[in-house]
Amino acid sequence: ESVVLDPSEVHCFIVEDNKIYALTESEKLQLKCRLYILEEMLSEGFIKINQSCIANVKMISRFDASFSGSLTVKFKNGYSDYVSRRNLKNVKERLGL
């Protein structure tokens, strides 16, 4: 089944078991596109937070920082993922943290 996907409804794009998924408020949709191609196609409202996740900045609920310096992103749909050390500086600059 094919579905037309509006990027503004997507909370994030993730990789699980070598497959790409788009997470919305209530669905997990599999895509046939590679993550690096999605990153090039998406607008400025999206940011790569780690090797396997591209986040929609408007769908981020909050950040949780740990004592070790790691940063966890909580999305409005309840999903959470971490910001990698490699992408931490870029995320902080883009979000003004």
Side-chain angles (χ1 to χ4, degrees):
E1 179 179 335
S2 294
V3 178
V4 176
L5 189 61
D6 181 9
S8 66
E9 295 176 0
V10 175
H11 290 244
C12 62
F13 296 96
I14 61 170
V15 177
E16 281 184 2
D17 300 324
N18 292 323
K19 295 179 182 169
I20 309 300
Y21 295 97
L23 300 181
T24 64
E25 185 67 37
S26 59
E27 293 182 295
K28 182 179 179 181
L29 305 168
Q30 185 177 349
L31 305 176
K32 293 184 179 184
C33 189
R34 292 284 194 197
L35 200 63
Y36 71 91
I37 295 172
L38 272 174
E39 187 178 13
E40 293 171 1
M41 290 176 14
L42 293 170
S43 69
E44 293 294 317
F46 288 85
I47 187 167
K48 187 171 185 177
I49 62 170
N50 62 44
Q51 192 71 20
S52 61
C53 183
I54 299 175
N56 184 344
V57 175
K58 293 180 182 175
M59 296 296 180
I60 294 174
S61 170
R62 69 178 193 267
F63 291 96
D64 290 335
S66 71
F67 289 112
S68 63
S70 66
L71 199 60
T72 302
V73 179
K74 303 282 185 175
F75 293 92
K76 293 179 181 178
N77 65 353
Y79 180 76
S80 64
D81 210 336
Y82 70 96
V83 178
S84 69
R85 286 183 294 137
R86 177 180 288 173
N87 293 311
L88 186 60
K89 182 180 177 184
N90 187 32
V91 169
K92 285 183 174 182
E93 286 174 357
R94 283 274 310 275
L95 300 175
L97 297 175

